[in-house]
Amino acid sequence: MAHDTTVLVLGGGSTGCGIARDLAIRGVDVTLVERGNLTGGTTGRMHGLLHSGGRYAVSDQASATECIEENEILRNIASHCVEETGGLFVQRPEDSDEYFREKLAGCRDCGIPATVLSGREAREIEPYLAEDVARAIQVPDGAVDPFRLCVANALDAERHGARVETHAEVIDLLREGDDIYGVEVRHDSGPGKRTHATPGTTEEITAEYVVNATGAWAGRIGAMADLDIAVRPSKGVMTIMNVRQVDTVINRCRPKGDADIIVPHETTAILGTTDEEVDDPDDYPEEQWEVDQMIDTLAELVPIIEDARTIRSFWGVRPLYEPPGTGTQDPTDITRDFFLLDHDERDGVGGMSSIVGGKFTTYRAMAEEIADHVCAKLGVDARCVTAEEPLPGSEDIAVLEEGMDSFGLRSPIARRSKQRLGSRAPDVLETNENEANPVICQCEGVTRAEIQDAVEQSGSDLNAVRIRTRASMGNCQGGFCCQNMANELHPRYDEQTVRDALDELFQERWKGQRHALWGEQLSQAMLNYALHATTMNRDNDPANAPAQVDYAQFDGGA
Amino acid sequence: MAITDDVLVIGGGLAGATAALAAAETAPDARVRLVTAKQSTLRHASGLIDVLGYAPGSEGQEQGQGQKQKPIVDPFAELDTLPTGHPYERVGGEAVRDALEFFDDIAGDAYAGGHTDKNALVPTHGGTVKPTARYPAATADGLASDDRDALLVGFETLPDFEAPLAAAHIESAGAPFDARGVTLSFPGIVRDDAKVTRYAHLLDRDERVQSPGGSVNGEIGAREALAAAVESHLEGEPRVGFPAILGDDRPAAVRESLADALGVDVFEIPMGPPSLPGLRLEDLLYAELEDAGVRVTSGVPVVDYEAADGRIDHVVVDRNGAEIPHEAAQYVLATGGLVGKGIESGRERVSEPLFDCHVPHASDRYNWFVDDVFGEQPYARFGLAPDRELRPLDSTDDPEFRNLRAAGAVLGGYDYAAEKSGAGVSLATGYVAGTRAGEESV
Amino acid sequence: MSEAEQPIDDGVPSDQSSDDADDEFEPVQVFPESEEMDLRPGADNCYKCSTCDTNCPVAEVDDEFPGPKFQGPEQWRLKRQDDHDIDESVMKCSNCMRCDSSCPSDVPLSQMHNTARGEYVEENMSKFSREYIRNRMLANYRRLAPLASMFPRTANFVMGLSVTKWLGEKTLGVTSERDFPEFATETFREWWTKRGGAHVESEDKRIAYFHGCYSNYNTPEVAKALVRVYEHFGYEIMVPDQSCSGTPMFANGMLDDARRAAETNVRELAAAIEDGADIIASCSSCSMSIRQEYPELFDFEDTDTVAEHTWDAVEYLRVHEDLEAELEGTSVGDEFDDFAYHAPCHSRNQGLDGQTIEVMDAIDGIEAHDVGDSCSGISGTYGWKEENYETSMKIGEDMFEHMAAAEAETGLTECPTCSMQMEHGTGYEIRHTLEVLEAALVGSSAQSAPATEPN
């Protein structure tokens, strides 16, 4: 029987995109389906830490070792997604000396470069660290943009012939007897780039082999073919600060606990996190105390956080897994290692493997192992090159960094744009001299050219544009730029499509802000509301029901 | 020694300026002072004078996005139906009419719409239309309830307004005319991030600019250049709309030049912040304040007060560290809402920062909002609850101070964004608070 | 040291003891040096409302300047610790500080501009460039002024020569369109010494006068007016040693120079405060600088105390005396007629823009007409630069027109450079408010000659 594709990857997170890229480079025909946007699941909901491994140096040295190896690889192949911030494990007076020593020893055991700093030295690096921070261990933690990394993987997969379908939700696994041979998906708006407001269709996609890389949702996919995959989803909150209070990753040096990390991420700093098991990865409570705990506890490390502006909070769900019968109680103690479940070996059902557990920093290594597994199944004999081949945007970073061209942009805007685009910057930002390239999102410094490039990639989905460019992710949370971003869709897309895209983005931006509604952000929310409701009347837009307005009844002029 | 006046208005937005003007009119011998810290939110607003566009909903109600209700045709007819505690209910429908008349006198030719009680429907820069009671003269030819066809002109360096999209949207909204949009480059603008005041200045001063098309003709006036750029795109439309950048100091002259050159009517589409129509309204009000002899102290915040026997004795102005006492018989608080910082919030509570007047609100901050961004948002109603004299009430419903009144967005109990009632409430409460303060000051 | 040689425990610096020791013996630096100041948290207050942009007189006439919202909160928020390439457009800012006083949300705009400008000059401007040398010279006007003052007539003559002006433009980029300010034949301090210092002694009414450079070297009549008015109210006046207030140095990003000047001023003025005096300034930029910019940029021991005790000369009398009652019924005779009054931006920043009109109101027979809230356009050294001259005059256009329209033939203001611009644009004679108060309160006996003629 002829299949639509050789390998079908389910899930557009880091693992799925990594696998798709790895296989595509090896010459395998791959299709990837994702129910929402790329990174719509756990990948887009993490704190953006590129682990040095220091975090696991006491509890899980195998993971720690793997982290430092992958950390070094990503700095090379994804340099435009990585910021080499460095990291500190800081010890407060009440934190245990014993643990500090174990941490340092653990780092050294795992090959993680680690230096001890006095409190004073640590404060020289990060002036806002608390006065009573006693000392710190410096490690090569970094910050990574999960959106950019994921999109770059998908883009490269496409360049190598893969088909990537977003907004295509798997509604059924196709199983015949003991063989899984594909899926049925529901296209939100039709195959290809997304166009809002166009009716969806369903499609059966058949494949020689299916890889279930849906993480926390793997159990749900498995259930479609009566396979039991006991993922233990665990939620964690992350709170985004408006500005970077620190430029280094700050970890609390104590055994385990909530609210113990601050990651500088692009223009913001992200506070994390909690670890609490949930039943349903799509429906779990997002609670006030979780946000308050982030602020109150992390203010012990960086006191100005207490009164600083937060712009939103979000929750992610870890796809934790442990083999049946392990029975760990506290989700914090569940291993961060990943598991490849070959359903043929495990359940006697062929044609599919599931991948569960794991962590973002090691996504590439996971993808490599799975791709090896799949290639073995398919009899493909090709070596993995993802540890050496730079991702699109990271091919020629050195040249870009030395280049003085600012593409006619003000220097901080040019700097941030180039950082986001990496070696693609000249292609995207070099505009015709007569063509205006105004800034569309002023908080993040995103220009029209960059927005247009993203629309080119992703269609009318402004959230997809957002994750590619960071537009609408700054302090106004889209209040001032959502409309401008939507304007950029026209005339490529018609008015109705643009309106729907704007509504969706604006509501999405509101969702996260609800958890930051006090002080400056509440005032910002009121201003945004006034702009969109009072000035633009978007809350009662007659275009949504034109028959209701009898224009002739109103003042038509003196 | 304290700087002494009869009436002291704190806050320099629409409500504060109206209160000061009303006090000065009511008590011509009184010395009226307006103290304003920083600048008001007038230039955030579109410059339209909304009175009531939609009936108020009830707080906390969840509603779907998009069209919820029909716009109100006659806002004045609806004033008596408003719920108890709404600022319009507090001052009464008659006072709202009086306040609008007061405004019409002040605004003169600069505003239109006073010829009828009916709302006008005005196109917005997002392409929707909205109901409003008074509109700047610059917008008069742009009404959506006017059935003449329109050409909308946008500029590639002003990404807030995409004219072809706005035109399509206006048609989707069922407006009774054909709208078309074009996007041009603005003659004389060199950088892509020029501010709206730069556009306005070019036209105000009719600066010499390179003539469009880069012809050998050299430089011509900015107004002529703009008209020339638009002309070839006209297809018989009798009116042309621009984003609201047509001059700051001389908007009428700019419009007239363009209209003459194009042979059509020219109008502006109100924009979001920074808004030139809002700025012009501010200029108009401050010129009026000067004429009325109101003393204006700006750029410095009121930071403290002393009270005795239930009355405010004096307030303290902070002038870069120096504390200057200001004394008056009557005080009007018009410091704005959450945006103007007359109302502040923290994780635990919502407060009025100056006199710590009572602000009713839920103790759990997760009850300050609803999940639909355009739902009935409790936070939008945060503010002081006044008696019918507009004196803010404490938690036991007694006036906080006998000689303190509040006006404008510092008041609660209404959602100006959903109702489209912001300017109307500021005018009505400013007018009433100022009039009462004037009466009682002498 | 290799790991083998270094046992883990010993590798951990024992921080407690060393920190204690340092606390005892080293001065504690509360804030980092201003050049390294991290102002990103200041962006938390920004709602993007753009009120600052609409108040920027430069952005209105020159789109090469992207406005204060970009220069301030946006640029700072986009910045990372290691980034040092401030956009060059910050040098187009005239430091009028209107953005700072307009922001409805307390974004520290002037501090952000000053710090960014300092960083730009430090990191991105060649110390050998013509621009740097010219700016440094303009910023340090006070250093040149004493030389000119020693030979005022020669200086005035030389500065006025067209060849000199042409050379100024060609070699230094100082516009030849403007006339250099003339130097007085006798500085205020010389006069003060000759006069024998204070004529009034008082235990409880004492002020220390911060005259700044201009009223010392160029318009001593303003300084003398202050002395006579304050002595009229029974104040003992001290004239402490002082340096430039720093305003022109901030405006040119010369933060090291400004720091040195501020250090002297804070030390001397703090000593005067210790002696029971409040600090009084007659120049609005000087008072602005001491009150706002010092605390924003420096952390000397008494910076805040000095800022809190510093006042504008007229403001102080309004609050501490009943100035208006004292002026009630006074007149100024034939010496003055009506005025076209311009409130300097730096007065506006201190909430003093309405003050002069209110005070003049009490004097019989004269009226001061406010010529509107626009910026004069000169902004200290800004309008002296060849490349800014045209912009500067464009900004001033509004003010010139309003002055011409006002029913007055004499200008009035409290800022020396605004005064130059007013004179340059209209040809009017320009006076200082204190001179009018002097005429009203002390009378014509103390009358000084017009500002433009050295006396």
Side-chain angles (χ1 to χ4, degrees), chain A residues 288 292 296 306 410 437 448 487 495 507 514-515 519 523 529 533-534 536-537 539 541 548 551 555, chain B residues 66-68 119 128-130 135 145 156 159 169 172-173 192-193 338 345 347 364-366 371 415 420:
Chain A
Q288 172 177 347
D292 287 339
D296 295 337
E306 182 75 39
R410 309 283 179 187
N437 186 23
R448 170 172 291 160
N487 286 345
E495 189 276 321
Q507 180 67 40
R514 294 171 309 152
H515 302 287
S523 294
Y529 179 44
T534 312
M536 289 197 273
N537 195 22
D539 59 331
D541 185 353
Q548 275 193 291
Y551 284 80
D555 173 14
Chain B
Q67 171 88 8
K68 292 190 289 199
N119 272 326
T128 62
V129 300
K130 73 167 266 194
Y135 39 88
S145 27
E156 53 190 19
H169 197 145
S172 300
D192 294 345
D193 53 7
L338 284 167
S345 63
R347 276 192 278 162
D364 179 349
R365 72 168 190 264
Y366 276 62
D371 291 344
D415 175 345
K420 327 297 168 203

Side-chain angles (χ1 to χ4, degrees), chain C residues 37-143:
Chain C
M37 205 178 271
D38 180 6
L39 295 177
R40 289 177 296 185
D44 275 0
N45 280 321
C46 181
Y47 305 152
K48 323 297 287 186
C49 74
S50 308
T51 298
C52 52
D53 283 346
T54 60
N55 280 278
C56 176
V58 180
E60 187 179 328
V61 296
D62 180 5
D63 42 334
E64 288 295 332
F65 185 66
K69 179 159 64 80
F70 170 79
Q71 294 297 353
E74 282 171 4
Q75 173 148 268
W76 276 98
R77 190 171 174 279
L78 289 169
K79 204 170 137 63
R80 295 183 186 165
Q81 219 170 35
D82 297 335
D83 293 343
H84 291 294
D85 47 339
I86 298 284
D87 195 69
E88 62 183 352
S89 57
V90 74
M91 296 309 286
K92 295 249 170 207
C93 163
S94 76
N95 199 36
C96 71
M97 297 169 76
R98 290 171 81 93
C99 52
D100 196 74
S101 61
S102 70
C103 173
S105 191
D106 299 323
V107 176
L109 280 147
S110 101
Q111 191 181 19
M112 285 174 156
H113 281 71
N114 275 332
T115 309
R117 187 164 35 228
E119 202 170 309
Y120 177 81
V121 170
E122 186 62 35
E123 305 273 344
N124 304 70
M125 195 189 261
S126 158
K127 304 295 174 290
F128 302 103
S129 68
R130 184 180 89 144
E131 192 184 1
Y132 179 84
I133 294 164
R134 187 267 322 268
N135 289 358
R136 187 115 199 243
M137 192 196 87
L138 286 172
N140 287 281
Y141 158 82
R142 186 186 163 274
R143 298 238 187 111

